[in-house]
Amino acid sequence: MRGLIWVTWRQHRWPIVVSAALTAVLAVFMVLTASKLGSMAAHCADPNVRCTRSKTESVPSHASYLMNSVTFLPVLVAVFWGVPLLAREFEQRTLPLAWSQDVGRQKWLFGKTAVLVTLVGAMGTLLAGLAQHLAHQYHAYTGESLFEGTQFQAGGWLPLTLGLAWLAIGIAAGAATRRVLVAIAVVGGLWITRMVLMVQARQRFSTPLTSKLPFSGVDDAALAQAVSHSSFPNDMNLDGGSTGFYDSHGVGHSANQVMQKWGCADARTEISTCLKDHDIIGKLSKFQPANRMGTFHLIENGINLGLFVLALVVAWYCVKRTRTTVS
Amino acid sequence: MTDVALETRNLGKRYRKLWALKDFSVSLPANKVIALVGANGAGKSTLMSIAAGILPATEGDVRVAGRVVLLSQDKPLYRSFSVTDMLNFGRHMNTVWDQQRALDWLGRFAIPLDRPCGKLSGGQQTQVAMAVALGARPSLLLLDEPLANLDPVARREVTGELLAEVAENDMTVVLSTHVVAELAGVGDHLLLLREGRSTLDGDVDELLSQHARLVGPRADSPPVEGQIVQSGHTERQSTFVVRTLLGPETPMPAQWQAQPLTLEDLVLAYLKAAASGVREL
Amino acid sequence: MIDFYVDRTGSVPAYAQLVQQVREALRLGLLRTGDKLPTVREVVTSCAVNAATVLKAYRELELSGLVEARQGAGTYISGTLGGSADPAAMDRLRGRLRTWVGDARQAGLEDDDMRALVTSVLAEPPGELSAEQRAAQAQAAREQQNPRSAGPR
């Protein structure tokens, strides 16, 4: 195993060094940003202080960038760590050399994978921990839900399991295509597919709840805010204000019905007047409640680890089947 | 001396529908230089890969005594590795490693140790690959076309040094090649492959002493008993390559001459016979 | 020290070429008693021939009494060639060959024809020798042995 550690280091030292440096830089920035957000949130906790709590301010938007970077890193792991492991050896025809030493091809594959998994695991643990912390500080300051978007993906150790899964996917793509560039294209395609699919799939991990939010006041400002803002801090809001509205009889009306057909979205009409005219007393909201977040993280981590195992099985199958002679 | 380095029994390897090796049984003597000769696609690389354990056989058994190292045709090296790194690679990837032996080999050919393998000439790369192969202290060294990218001077030098390694160590070398002319005096043992089968297998000196080219007046069959390997006729003259007990020493009737064959003649006679045999079928 | 050379194009086996070259060197005086032959490794690396080939050649030279292997020290020339050392026999053979060549020229043979003829006769198995030739051979053998039994002069 010591030999395989040396070989893995020698062959992958540049990606490893660059990744370690990147990890360090990201870690420092995340710690600093999180601490800034923390003190900002503490400052705003004083009821006498007036805070905008806007996510477009510079510190929260930095936090947002950092969390986005962390959730994007796994695809880089796949491209720079996973793909070259086999694809580069196929391209440079060095597998007969690697596999004709005393270390057999199975031990070779799993030994090298184990070294990379350990490194990705270490860096991933650090970054995922810091990202989770940052997400909490972001939530504390901006009030954005932890269950949504980047905050959800940065939390619950998802960056760690996603990194491991995509390391394995990169290895498998290299094993299956035997070409670095083709494997990178495959990985890119799969990554985009994953992003699109997961945005849809995440909402359906369990049946969403629907709640009725009455417009509490009658003044237009409060009404407008109620229409555009959810007041449930850590829920996953699924409709973005498009689920619909309900009238005084409790009958639901779709957003399309209310805004387009009844013309409430028309600039010339006052929206609150329009809603009142049609007896709308509140809005409907479809959501995943905050207490499901842990389960959702668990499900997504499970998917990631499943993909990790599946990809390694694919890689092993490709390696086992590889002929090392052409005669 | 009668130790066996490599033994196969009914070995077969099929690539989809094509049999690269079929019903292949040989027993190769240890501490010898074995010349593995055959046309491209005759199964030389397949046999070596199976013996080295990097290619599973479809059927049959192969038994190897001791450590096997295969140096495949394209002499793979990690291009970004320096020569020293390649030796470290060998040291880390093998349970047995002889750094001095590898360094000695590189020293004999003045290979710069700190240069990346990708920046070495083809010949130098071959030397590095050889050094890594020898450093693993194989008892059976399989060399697939090892001299292909060397110039004639280097070929002679490498062959010489390699033979010295065989003489000084307990090592069997299987040398596959299609440059038969260079094998004279090099191989102790000849193994001729054709279409995945062994056509000729034996000690080179013995084989040469058992074969002769008989030249005489036109005749349908040679004047002596024996296996006809090849025959050719002109209007007045007939030439036979035969395998008989006494070879060129066979007593000949008047007008017939028995000439000894070179190793190249012998190999070519069998290969040509095989080719014409195919046409007749 | 002798420099061996192996010709791979001819039909003479490599070990026989080495033996021949030692005999030739002795005949020409390039090698004398007490000279050391190259080590097996030296021959193997310089001529790129198998060690078994070199060992076979050295064993054959040893059996014919021309060299001796000294334990751990190498192989040394220990004897001289017999037959060709007798000038009288050589002269006689040369004279007969000169007559034969004259006859052949008269019969219209060119040099190459004669060489081919000699080669083909040499290639004939010893069983083909006439009674007269066999007698001559026995005579030659006796002449070869005589100087050695008489001891160094």
Side-chain angles (χ1 to χ4, degrees), chain C residues 75-103:
Chain C
T75 308
Y76 291 84
I77 301 288
S78 62
T80 52
L81 284 169
S84 59
D86 183 12
M90 282 296 281
D91 281 349
R92 244 193 337 274
L93 284 168
R94 175 180 278 271
R96 275 163 66 188
L97 191 56
R98 196 180 287 127
T99 323
W100 183 85
V101 170
D103 289 352

PDB file of all heavy atoms in Angstrom, chain C residues 75-103:
ATOM      1  N   THR C  75      40.151 -18.611 -19.263  1.00  0.00           N
ATOM      2  CA  THR C  75      40.526 -19.662 -20.203  1.00  0.00           C
ATOM      3  C   THR C  75      41.814 -19.258 -20.923  1.00  0.00           C
ATOM      4  O   THR C  75      41.923 -18.137 -21.418  1.00  0.00           O
ATOM      5  CB  THR C  75      39.384 -19.861 -21.222  1.00  0.00           C
ATOM      6  OG1 THR C  75      38.179 -20.042 -20.500  1.00  0.00           O
ATOM      7  CG2 THR C  75      39.635 -21.067 -22.097  1.00  0.00           C
ATOM      8  N   TYR C  76      42.785 -20.146 -20.934  1.00  0.00           N
ATOM      9  CA  TYR C  76      44.096 -19.817 -21.503  1.00  0.00           C
ATOM     10  C   TYR C  76      44.475 -20.792 -22.610  1.00  0.00           C
ATOM     11  O   TYR C  76      44.089 -21.964 -22.590  1.00  0.00           O
ATOM     12  CB  TYR C  76      45.172 -19.874 -20.403  1.00  0.00           C
ATOM     13  CG  TYR C  76      45.013 -18.761 -19.388  1.00  0.00           C
ATOM     14  CD1 TYR C  76      44.139 -18.896 -18.325  1.00  0.00           C
ATOM     15  CD2 TYR C  76      45.728 -17.563 -19.531  1.00  0.00           C
ATOM     16  CE1 TYR C  76      43.973 -17.876 -17.409  1.00  0.00           C
ATOM     17  CE2 TYR C  76      45.563 -16.539 -18.617  1.00  0.00           C
ATOM     18  CZ  TYR C  76      44.689 -16.701 -17.557  1.00  0.00           C
ATOM     19  OH  TYR C  76      44.522 -15.686 -16.665  1.00  0.00           O
ATOM     20  N   ILE C  77      45.204 -20.271 -23.573  1.00  0.00           N
ATOM     21  CA  ILE C  77      45.718 -21.120 -24.640  1.00  0.00           C
ATOM     22  C   ILE C  77      46.785 -22.045 -24.036  1.00  0.00           C
ATOM     23  O   ILE C  77      47.682 -21.596 -23.327  1.00  0.00           O
ATOM     24  CB  ILE C  77      46.392 -20.280 -25.745  1.00  0.00           C
ATOM     25  CG1 ILE C  77      45.394 -19.284 -26.338  1.00  0.00           C
ATOM     26  CG2 ILE C  77      46.998 -21.169 -26.822  1.00  0.00           C
ATOM     27  CD1 ILE C  77      44.336 -19.905 -27.197  1.00  0.00           C
ATOM     28  N   SER C  78      46.628 -23.354 -24.315  1.00  0.00           N
ATOM     29  CA  SER C  78      47.568 -24.296 -23.703  1.00  0.00           C
ATOM     30  C   SER C  78      48.219 -25.214 -24.721  1.00  0.00           C
ATOM     31  O   SER C  78      49.120 -25.962 -24.396  1.00  0.00           O
ATOM     32  CB  SER C  78      46.838 -25.137 -22.657  1.00  0.00           C
ATOM     33  OG  SER C  78      45.824 -25.867 -23.303  1.00  0.00           O
ATOM     34  N   GLY C  79      47.759 -25.161 -25.979  1.00  0.00           N
ATOM     35  CA  GLY C  79      48.334 -26.088 -26.958  1.00  0.00           C
ATOM     36  C   GLY C  79      48.544 -25.414 -28.291  1.00  0.00           C
ATOM     37  O   GLY C  79      48.251 -24.222 -28.459  1.00  0.00           O
ATOM     38  N   THR C  80      49.089 -26.139 -29.236  1.00  0.00           N
ATOM     39  CA  THR C  80      49.271 -25.614 -30.585  1.00  0.00           C
ATOM     40  C   THR C  80      48.576 -26.541 -31.546  1.00  0.00           C
ATOM     41  O   THR C  80      48.251 -27.676 -31.223  1.00  0.00           O
ATOM     42  CB  THR C  80      50.760 -25.542 -30.957  1.00  0.00           C
ATOM     43  OG1 THR C  80      51.330 -26.830 -30.704  1.00  0.00           O
ATOM     44  CG2 THR C  80      51.474 -24.501 -30.119  1.00  0.00           C
ATOM     45  N   LEU C  81      48.336 -26.024 -32.751  1.00  0.00           N
ATOM     46  CA  LEU C  81      47.686 -26.836 -33.761  1.00  0.00           C
ATOM     47  C   LEU C  81      48.677 -27.852 -34.291  1.00  0.00           C
ATOM     48  O   LEU C  81      49.854 -27.585 -34.402  1.00  0.00           O
ATOM     49  CB  LEU C  81      47.194 -25.958 -34.900  1.00  0.00           C
ATOM     50  CG  LEU C  81      45.942 -25.158 -34.602  1.00  0.00           C
ATOM     51  CD1 LEU C  81      45.720 -24.161 -35.692  1.00  0.00           C
ATOM     52  CD2 LEU C  81      44.761 -26.099 -34.454  1.00  0.00           C
ATOM     53  N   GLY C  82      48.132 -29.025 -34.665  1.00  0.00           N
ATOM     54  CA  GLY C  82      48.998 -30.076 -35.173  1.00  0.00           C
ATOM     55  C   GLY C  82      49.252 -29.931 -36.664  1.00  0.00           C
ATOM     56  O   GLY C  82      50.004 -29.079 -37.105  1.00  0.00           O
ATOM     57  N   GLY C  83      48.527 -30.729 -37.436  1.00  0.00           N
ATOM     58  CA  GLY C  83      48.633 -30.948 -38.878  1.00  0.00           C
ATOM     59  C   GLY C  83      49.325 -29.880 -39.689  1.00  0.00           C
ATOM     60  O   GLY C  83      50.365 -30.123 -40.311  1.00  0.00           O
ATOM     61  N   SER C  84      48.809 -28.719 -39.686  1.00  0.00           N
ATOM     62  CA  SER C  84      49.318 -27.691 -40.579  1.00  0.00           C
ATOM     63  C   SER C  84      50.755 -27.298 -40.241  1.00  0.00           C
ATOM     64  O   SER C  84      51.402 -26.596 -41.017  1.00  0.00           O
ATOM     65  CB  SER C  84      48.416 -26.469 -40.496  1.00  0.00           C
ATOM     66  OG  SER C  84      48.390 -26.015 -39.155  1.00  0.00           O
ATOM     67  N   ALA C  85      51.224 -27.755 -39.050  1.00  0.00           N
ATOM     68  CA  ALA C  85      52.578 -27.376 -38.659  1.00  0.00           C
ATOM     69  C   ALA C  85      53.644 -28.096 -39.491  1.00  0.00           C
ATOM     70  O   ALA C  85      54.774 -27.621 -39.574  1.00  0.00           O
ATOM     71  CB  ALA C  85      52.799 -27.666 -37.180  1.00  0.00           C
ATOM     72  N   ASP C  86      53.249 -29.225 -40.109  1.00  0.00           N
ATOM     73  CA  ASP C  86      54.262 -29.972 -40.862  1.00  0.00           C
ATOM     74  C   ASP C  86      54.418 -29.407 -42.261  1.00  0.00           C
ATOM     75  O   ASP C  86      53.527 -29.570 -43.101  1.00  0.00           O
ATOM     76  CB  ASP C  86      53.851 -31.451 -40.920  1.00  0.00           C
ATOM     77  CG  ASP C  86      54.902 -32.280 -41.625  1.00  0.00           C
ATOM     78  OD1 ASP C  86      56.016 -31.749 -41.838  1.00  0.00           O
ATOM     79  OD2 ASP C  86      54.586 -33.429 -41.964  1.00  0.00           O
ATOM     80  N   PRO C  87      55.498 -28.718 -42.549  1.00  0.00           N
ATOM     81  CA  PRO C  87      55.662 -28.043 -43.850  1.00  0.00           C
ATOM     82  C   PRO C  87      55.766 -29.024 -45.014  1.00  0.00           C
ATOM     83  O   PRO C  87      55.263 -28.737 -46.105  1.00  0.00           O
ATOM     84  CB  PRO C  87      56.956 -27.244 -43.681  1.00  0.00           C
ATOM     85  CG  PRO C  87      57.558 -27.645 -42.373  1.00  0.00           C
ATOM     86  CD  PRO C  87      56.660 -28.570 -41.672  1.00  0.00           C
ATOM     87  N   ALA C  88      56.339 -30.186 -44.776  1.00  0.00           N
ATOM     88  CA  ALA C  88      56.518 -31.150 -45.874  1.00  0.00           C
ATOM     89  C   ALA C  88      55.163 -31.584 -46.415  1.00  0.00           C
ATOM     90  O   ALA C  88      54.939 -31.581 -47.641  1.00  0.00           O
ATOM     91  CB  ALA C  88      57.314 -32.360 -45.364  1.00  0.00           C
ATOM     92  N   ALA C  89      54.220 -31.942 -45.478  1.00  0.00           N
ATOM     93  CA  ALA C  89      52.892 -32.386 -45.901  1.00  0.00           C
ATOM     94  C   ALA C  89      52.172 -31.265 -46.627  1.00  0.00           C
ATOM     95  O   ALA C  89      51.524 -31.490 -47.653  1.00  0.00           O
ATOM     96  CB  ALA C  89      52.096 -32.833 -44.682  1.00  0.00           C
ATOM     97  N   MET C  90      52.321 -30.051 -46.107  1.00  0.00           N
ATOM     98  CA  MET C  90      51.676 -28.900 -46.734  1.00  0.00           C
ATOM     99  C   MET C  90      52.178 -28.713 -48.153  1.00  0.00           C
ATOM    100  O   MET C  90      51.392 -28.495 -49.078  1.00  0.00           O
ATOM    101  CB  MET C  90      51.973 -27.624 -45.916  1.00  0.00           C
ATOM    102  CG  MET C  90      51.138 -27.465 -44.656  1.00  0.00           C
ATOM    103  SD  MET C  90      49.385 -27.279 -45.007  1.00  0.00           S
ATOM    104  CE  MET C  90      49.356 -25.544 -45.488  1.00  0.00           C
ATOM    105  N   ASP C  91      53.488 -28.796 -48.308  1.00  0.00           N
ATOM    106  CA  ASP C  91      54.088 -28.626 -49.638  1.00  0.00           C
ATOM    107  C   ASP C  91      53.537 -29.650 -50.618  1.00  0.00           C
ATOM    108  O   ASP C  91      53.216 -29.324 -51.758  1.00  0.00           O
ATOM    109  CB  ASP C  91      55.620 -28.753 -49.535  1.00  0.00           C
ATOM    110  CG  ASP C  91      56.230 -27.469 -49.003  1.00  0.00           C
ATOM    111  OD1 ASP C  91      55.473 -26.453 -48.925  1.00  0.00           O
ATOM    112  OD2 ASP C  91      57.423 -27.464 -48.659  1.00  0.00           O
ATOM    113  N   ARG C  92      53.465 -30.917 -50.133  1.00  0.00           N
ATOM    114  CA  ARG C  92      52.985 -31.984 -51.012  1.00  0.00           C
ATOM    115  C   ARG C  92      51.566 -31.693 -51.470  1.00  0.00           C
ATOM    116  O   ARG C  92      51.248 -31.771 -52.661  1.00  0.00           O
ATOM    117  CB  ARG C  92      53.026 -33.312 -50.242  1.00  0.00           C
ATOM    118  CG  ARG C  92      54.011 -34.305 -50.865  1.00  0.00           C
ATOM    119  CD  ARG C  92      53.892 -35.720 -50.371  1.00  0.00           C
ATOM    120  NE  ARG C  92      53.296 -35.968 -49.086  1.00  0.00           N
ATOM    121  CZ  ARG C  92      53.950 -35.942 -47.927  1.00  0.00           C
ATOM    122  NH1 ARG C  92      55.246 -35.644 -47.890  1.00  0.00           N
ATOM    123  NH2 ARG C  92      53.315 -36.200 -46.803  1.00  0.00           N
ATOM    124  N   LEU C  93      50.690 -31.319 -50.529  1.00  0.00           N
ATOM    125  CA  LEU C  93      49.286 -31.057 -50.863  1.00  0.00           C
ATOM    126  C   LEU C  93      49.179 -29.874 -51.823  1.00  0.00           C
ATOM    127  O   LEU C  93      48.430 -29.897 -52.792  1.00  0.00           O
ATOM    128  CB  LEU C  93      48.484 -30.754 -49.592  1.00  0.00           C
ATOM    129  CG  LEU C  93      48.160 -31.971 -48.745  1.00  0.00           C
ATOM    130  CD1 LEU C  93      47.629 -31.553 -47.378  1.00  0.00           C
ATOM    131  CD2 LEU C  93      47.130 -32.864 -49.455  1.00  0.00           C
ATOM    132  N   ARG C  94      49.954 -28.831 -51.529  1.00  0.00           N
ATOM    133  CA  ARG C  94      49.936 -27.644 -52.372  1.00  0.00           C
ATOM    134  C   ARG C  94      50.323 -27.985 -53.808  1.00  0.00           C
ATOM    135  O   ARG C  94      49.665 -27.541 -54.770  1.00  0.00           O
ATOM    136  CB  ARG C  94      50.876 -26.588 -51.798  1.00  0.00           C
ATOM    137  CG  ARG C  94      51.035 -25.347 -52.665  1.00  0.00           C
ATOM    138  CD  ARG C  94      51.979 -24.359 -52.011  1.00  0.00           C
ATOM    139  NE  ARG C  94      51.276 -23.565 -50.998  1.00  0.00           N
ATOM    140  CZ  ARG C  94      50.653 -22.416 -51.289  1.00  0.00           C
ATOM    141  NH1 ARG C  94      50.653 -21.946 -52.501  1.00  0.00           N
ATOM    142  NH2 ARG C  94      50.042 -21.739 -50.351  1.00  0.00           N
ATOM    143  N   GLY C  95      51.360 -28.810 -53.948  1.00  0.00           N
ATOM    144  CA  GLY C  95      51.823 -29.208 -55.282  1.00  0.00           C
ATOM    145  C   GLY C  95      50.727 -29.932 -56.040  1.00  0.00           C
ATOM    146  O   GLY C  95      50.454 -29.632 -57.205  1.00  0.00           O
ATOM    147  N   ARG C  96      50.064 -30.891 -55.324  1.00  0.00           N
ATOM    148  CA  ARG C  96      49.018 -31.651 -56.003  1.00  0.00           C
ATOM    149  C   ARG C  96      47.863 -30.748 -56.383  1.00  0.00           C
ATOM    150  O   ARG C  96      47.255 -30.911 -57.454  1.00  0.00           O
ATOM    151  CB  ARG C  96      48.541 -32.785 -55.096  1.00  0.00           C
ATOM    152  CG  ARG C  96      49.410 -34.007 -55.227  1.00  0.00           C
ATOM    153  CD  ARG C  96      49.215 -34.960 -54.074  1.00  0.00           C
ATOM    154  NE  ARG C  96      47.880 -35.538 -54.048  1.00  0.00           N
ATOM    155  CZ  ARG C  96      47.434 -36.275 -53.042  1.00  0.00           C
ATOM    156  NH1 ARG C  96      48.236 -36.503 -52.005  1.00  0.00           N
ATOM    157  NH2 ARG C  96      46.226 -36.771 -53.067  1.00  0.00           N
ATOM    158  N   LEU C  97      47.557 -29.777 -55.547  1.00  0.00           N
ATOM    159  CA  LEU C  97      46.443 -28.859 -55.833  1.00  0.00           C
ATOM    160  C   LEU C  97      46.784 -27.981 -57.038  1.00  0.00           C
ATOM    161  O   LEU C  97      45.944 -27.716 -57.900  1.00  0.00           O
ATOM    162  CB  LEU C  97      46.154 -27.994 -54.603  1.00  0.00           C
ATOM    163  CG  LEU C  97      44.859 -27.190 -54.651  1.00  0.00           C
ATOM    164  CD1 LEU C  97      43.649 -28.097 -54.885  1.00  0.00           C
ATOM    165  CD2 LEU C  97      44.678 -26.366 -53.384  1.00  0.00           C
ATOM    166  N   ARG C  98      48.084 -27.590 -57.111  1.00  0.00           N
ATOM    167  CA  ARG C  98      48.497 -26.732 -58.228  1.00  0.00           C
ATOM    168  C   ARG C  98      48.300 -27.491 -59.547  1.00  0.00           C
ATOM    169  O   ARG C  98      47.753 -26.946 -60.507  1.00  0.00           O
ATOM    170  CB  ARG C  98      49.963 -26.314 -58.046  1.00  0.00           C
ATOM    171  CG  ARG C  98      50.353 -25.135 -58.942  1.00  0.00           C
ATOM    172  CD  ARG C  98      51.802 -24.730 -58.757  1.00  0.00           C
ATOM    173  NE  ARG C  98      52.053 -24.035 -57.506  1.00  0.00           N
ATOM    174  CZ  ARG C  98      52.989 -24.396 -56.645  1.00  0.00           C
ATOM    175  NH1 ARG C  98      53.761 -25.459 -56.877  1.00  0.00           N
ATOM    176  NH2 ARG C  98      53.167 -23.715 -55.536  1.00  0.00           N
ATOM    177  N   THR C  99      48.713 -28.750 -59.565  1.00  0.00           N
ATOM    178  CA  THR C  99      48.508 -29.569 -60.762  1.00  0.00           C
ATOM    179  C   THR C  99      47.024 -29.637 -61.095  1.00  0.00           C
ATOM    180  O   THR C  99      46.607 -29.482 -62.246  1.00  0.00           O
ATOM    181  CB  THR C  99      49.006 -31.016 -60.495  1.00  0.00           C
ATOM    182  OG1 THR C  99      50.170 -30.953 -59.691  1.00  0.00           O
ATOM    183  CG2 THR C  99      49.289 -31.741 -61.802  1.00  0.00           C
ATOM    184  N   TRP C 100      46.199 -29.864 -60.050  1.00  0.00           N
ATOM    185  CA  TRP C 100      44.760 -30.024 -60.258  1.00  0.00           C
ATOM    186  C   TRP C 100      44.161 -28.755 -60.828  1.00  0.00           C
ATOM    187  O   TRP C 100      43.372 -28.796 -61.756  1.00  0.00           O
ATOM    188  CB  TRP C 100      44.113 -30.366 -58.905  1.00  0.00           C
ATOM    189  CG  TRP C 100      42.637 -30.626 -59.011  1.00  0.00           C
ATOM    190  CD1 TRP C 100      42.023 -31.786 -59.329  1.00  0.00           C
ATOM    191  CD2 TRP C 100      41.598 -29.660 -58.811  1.00  0.00           C
ATOM    192  NE1 TRP C 100      40.674 -31.645 -59.349  1.00  0.00           N
ATOM    193  CE2 TRP C 100      40.388 -30.333 -59.041  1.00  0.00           C
ATOM    194  CE3 TRP C 100      41.583 -28.292 -58.481  1.00  0.00           C
ATOM    195  CZ2 TRP C 100      39.153 -29.690 -58.932  1.00  0.00           C
ATOM    196  CZ3 TRP C 100      40.362 -27.667 -58.376  1.00  0.00           C
ATOM    197  CH2 TRP C 100      39.152 -28.353 -58.599  1.00  0.00           C
ATOM    198  N   VAL C 101      44.595 -27.617 -60.281  1.00  0.00           N
ATOM    199  CA  VAL C 101      44.059 -26.352 -60.780  1.00  0.00           C
ATOM    200  C   VAL C 101      44.427 -26.140 -62.240  1.00  0.00           C
ATOM    201  O   VAL C 101      43.612 -25.706 -63.055  1.00  0.00           O
ATOM    202  CB  VAL C 101      44.561 -25.158 -59.914  1.00  0.00           C
ATOM    203  CG1 VAL C 101      44.219 -23.828 -60.555  1.00  0.00           C
ATOM    204  CG2 VAL C 101      43.952 -25.219 -58.506  1.00  0.00           C
ATOM    205  N   GLY C 102      45.675 -26.514 -62.574  1.00  0.00           N
ATOM    206  CA  GLY C 102      46.111 -26.426 -63.974  1.00  0.00           C
ATOM    207  C   GLY C 102      45.200 -27.251 -64.881  1.00  0.00           C
ATOM    208  O   GLY C 102      44.728 -26.758 -65.917  1.00  0.00           O
ATOM    209  N   ASP C 103      44.936 -28.492 -64.455  1.00  0.00           N
ATOM    210  CA  ASP C 103      44.039 -29.373 -65.222  1.00  0.00           C
ATOM    211  C   ASP C 103      42.680 -28.738 -65.409  1.00  0.00           C
ATOM    212  O   ASP C 103      42.107 -28.747 -66.496  1.00  0.00           O
ATOM    213  CB  ASP C 103      43.861 -30.712 -64.480  1.00  0.00           C
ATOM    214  CG  ASP C 103      45.131 -31.552 -64.545  1.00  0.00           C
ATOM    215  OD1 ASP C 103      46.052 -31.141 -65.297  1.00  0.00           O
ATOM    216  OD2 ASP C 103      45.203 -32.569 -63.831  1.00  0.00           O
TER     217      ASP C 103
END
